[in-house]
Amino acid sequence: MPQPVDAAEAIRRRALLVWPRLDAAALRRCGSDPERVADLVARRSTLPREAIVGILLTPAVTEVETRTWFG
């Protein structure tokens, strides 16, 4: 069973999953602040900051939940 991930690590992992070429050192300096991560991502994306924050903070959906909702 996977270990629970703290908030800072979850935001960092989500950011690297969606934007894999982010500077890892710059991302670490952002810590767990989604606004600072959004500022970093916004430099290389056309998405508005609010959308980036939304992507970072949206809870993960498990495969079981997906099957429950969509059959």
Side-chain angles (χ1 to χ4, degrees):
M1 179 174 239
Q3 295 291 326
V5 178
D6 69 341
E9 181 66 13
I11 290 173
R12 188 186 73 76
R13 285 185 184 183
R14 173 76 54 102
L16 286 174
L17 181 67
V18 178
W19 300 281
R21 298 177 108 193
L22 281 178
D23 179 7
L27 186 58
R28 270 193 305 280
R29 286 191 297 273
C30 293
S32 62
D33 184 358
E35 297 291 332
R36 289 179 63 194
V37 175
D39 288 338
L40 178 66
V41 171
R43 294 180 197 155
R44 55 178 299 216
S45 174
T46 58
L47 289 172
R49 289 181 71 253
E50 296 79 19
I52 296 168
V53 171
I55 290 169
L56 293 171
L57 296 179
T58 300
V61 178
T62 67
E63 186 177 332
V64 172
E65 291 172 321
T66 303
R67 277 189 262 132
T68 300
W69 296 338
F70 303 108

